[in-house]
Amino acid sequence: MSFLDRSFELHFNERPYLNHFSYLFITKTTRERSRSRSNFSILCRGNIIPKEVRDKDAVSRFLESVDQFERILNDSVFIRLERLTTDEIVGTPQQAGLIEKYFSLSQQDTTTLKDIQMSASKMRIGDNTLCVHTLSDVDDLPGSVQTDTRYEKYSTDRSDCRLSFAAPVGLMLSCDHIYNQFLFIDDSAEILQRFEKTARNMHSLSKYSRANQLNKQWIDAYLDEAHSFGLTAIRCHCNVMAWSDNREKLKVIKNDTGSALALMGCKPRYNTIDAPALYWAGIPGGEGDFPSEESFFTFIEQGVCFFTEETNYADSLSPFGIKMADRTNGKPLHLDISDEPMRRGITTNRNKLVIGPSGSGKSFFMNHLVRQYWEQGTHIILIDIGNSYKGLCDLIHQRTNGEDGVYYTYSEKRPIAFNPFFTEDKVFDLEKKESIKTLIMSLWKRDTEVITRAEEVALSMAVNLFLEKIKEDNELVPSFNTFYEFVQGEFRGILEEKHYREKDFDLTNFLNVLAPYYRGGEYDYLLNSDEQLDLLNKRFVVFEIDEIKEHKILFPVVTVIIMEAFINKMRRLHGVRKMIVVEEAWKAIAREGMADYIKFLYKTVRKYFGEAVVVTQELDDIVSSPIIKDTIINNADCKILLDQRKYINKFDSVQSLLGLTDKEKGQILSINQSNDPARKYKEV
């Protein structure tokens, strides 16, 4: 384990977090049993399963309905249900089941059986004392319910962060707890008939009490709603069971639970009398013995509003990925943003676009990303402006004892230098030859000058003959100096033999133009590096071009070298993951005629198990640059955005450009809105 990996593990060591599990129990019971009250529980019965439920035909019809229900929910895409096996419910001698976990109030600590103490004032399981808050009366409910609500902490005046109505008693309640939602689907027609009868009685007694008048009005409103819209009448109940082994902490938990219910607009009701009955009714499969007096009548649409819709972020199943942390509680996560989305059909390529203004943590995130990619065997080439990766490159260089971590930059003491003619295996494929010819051509001809067909053929012949000579002569040192001497000597004779005229290929002009790059010239260091370094086998290479981005001579040469290095990796490293990261340097590259290269990268790198990443600070760059707008956005399926509050007033144009939904817009603008002051972190 590396130093940074070990530091990451220590950072999260023993950090508490809230782990969320969600279970759906579908229980069949009888009409009489569903009407039982709290004075007669499952503990008083000789048989747990009613005799009526043992009918094979009834069971078959029930299981068919359950299968249909499961299929409908899974087909909706929003929810995925996984059927529990018998062993997962009741357990095995080696592993605890769901029922045992429920009696232990723990998902892990199930090795020891715990005493259960029940009384009117207190219920205790082991060392843990329960506190139960219930929603069992219409008077305790808010005036209206909805599927989702605006969460103010993460919202802005231009965006909404939407959470489920019951989110305060879900992940937002930071203590050990169980949130139970009971929906009892009885005979809807029978319920409505009973309400009709009650309404008539209330009408008869309305002269004696104004309360009877009001109750009749409420019942009439309920019946009108049911008949007008064809709604199904059901009974509903919700409760929150929280616990602690510390008396003082339990008081805090009790207050927090009450506050969470108050955030939903509900009246917190602390229940002590029915706590044991409610606990037994929550046993997996024991919901048929729920005390009926604790439920209230409503409709299915309103009842499901009390369901929690949020859960923890899930780890990616892929072995490849990066380490991140959960937003709410800082739980470490393993995320695959390259391979898994492609396997699931979410994306069609691995390319990425990273957008983050200054101070948003963009450089830190990118160092975090490329470091983990490198540790998993990825070949990485970075084009940087500003020395953002110098520290990481030095760390890799030290860790590999100089075998990896190559940092190219320009300084007066050590100017940038390459040797485009060197390969460790002396293999010069088509791409390598073309890159050398492109390099020499860019040094020879200006952008305004046109190269003739004869000149192109002559240059190609010179390069090919020189490369053949390198393969044959082991004593020949490949460099631009030896190439220049070859053209000056042997190649001159070859041109004479082939009767090349001066107007076809002006050799004197060619040598004069390239003389500054030959021994003794102004730029003789540039293409004659003594470090015989083959970038093909180097997995972490950084090109720092800040000093030369405006240089008319050096910059085109460097860009061609970068292009050749990555294309060489693409073509020759089969089955090896590759990544090229272009930081703010893309502006300089695009300006110097490298736009076609960026387009080529983004469109073809997917076929070679690679990914191209462009990093930018300003959102205006996206809109104003045709390179970004037309090529990168269309071919980068993964967009990584950091804090965008700086651009909140002009985010609409970016939203339409990136094709973001209103929900995604709200999520992006909620970044860093309500960070925990106790932890130093940036959201992405």
Side-chain angles (χ1 to χ4, degrees), residues 194-336:
R194 200 159 66 243
F195 272 118
E196 295 277 7
K197 183 180 179 181
T198 305
R200 288 194 296 271
N201 293 336
M202 292 293 178
H203 180 70
S204 303
L205 300 171
S206 60
K207 295 180 180 180
Y208 302 100
S209 172
R210 184 169 294 276
N212 291 332
Q213 293 179 10
L214 292 173
N215 287 334
K216 181 189 179 296
Q217 291 175 9
W218 283 112
I219 293 172
D220 286 341
Y222 183 86
L223 292 170
D224 290 344
E225 193 85 3
H227 291 303
S228 300
F229 300 100
L231 302 178
T232 303
I234 63 168
R235 291 185 293 123
C236 183
H237 170 86
C238 300
N239 65 60
V240 183
M241 298 181 183
W243 60 86
S244 177
D245 56 358
N246 185 287
R247 183 178 297 179
E248 295 301 321
K249 192 176 179 180
L250 187 65
K251 292 180 181 177
V252 177
I253 290 174
K254 178 182 174 183
N255 293 332
D256 289 346
T257 307
S259 301
L261 289 168
L263 286 173
M264 297 166 58
C266 302
K267 185 186 294 181
R269 186 181 294 274
Y270 181 55
N271 194 316
T272 56
I273 298 174
D274 284 343
L278 294 173
Y279 177 78
W280 288 115
I283 299 173
E287 287 77 15
D289 283 290
F290 183 86
S292 59
E293 76 271 15
E294 289 284 352
S295 60
F296 59 89
F297 288 96
T298 183
F299 302 114
I300 290 179
E301 288 77 4
Q302 284 76 12
V304 296
C305 288
F306 289 93
F307 281 31
T308 53
E309 300 170 10
E310 295 83 18
T311 187
N312 298 105
Y313 284 101
D315 286 321
S316 297
L317 299 176
S318 170
F320 180 84
I322 61 173
K323 294 175 180 175
M324 299 292 285
D326 183 272
R327 176 179 202 174
T328 54
N329 48 46
K331 174 189 174 184
L333 294 170
H334 172 78
L335 296 180
D336 183 1

Side-chain angles (χ1 to χ4, degrees), residues 523-542:
Y523 304 108
D524 62 349
Y525 58 84
L526 186 60
L527 303 173
N528 297 287
S529 175
D530 295 330
E531 297 180 9
Q532 302 295 6
L533 189 63
D534 186 5
L535 297 182
L536 178 67
N537 298 313
K538 304 299 178 183
R539 291 200 299 113
F540 196 89
V541 184
V542 180

Side-chain angles (χ1 to χ4, degrees), residues 423 425-437 463-464 467 471 536 564 567-574:
T423 59
D425 53 5
K426 292 190 177 183
V427 175
F428 299 95
D429 55 13
L430 182 63
E431 283 76 20
K432 181 71 173 177
K433 293 177 182 178
E434 287 298 321
S435 68
I436 293 173
K437 286 190 287 184
V463 171
N464 288 329
L467 296 179
K471 294 179 183 178
L536 178 67
E564 184 270 333
I567 290 178
N568 194 33
K569 289 178 181 288
M570 282 171 54
R571 303 290 190 187
R572 296 182 60 184
L573 298 176
H574 302 289

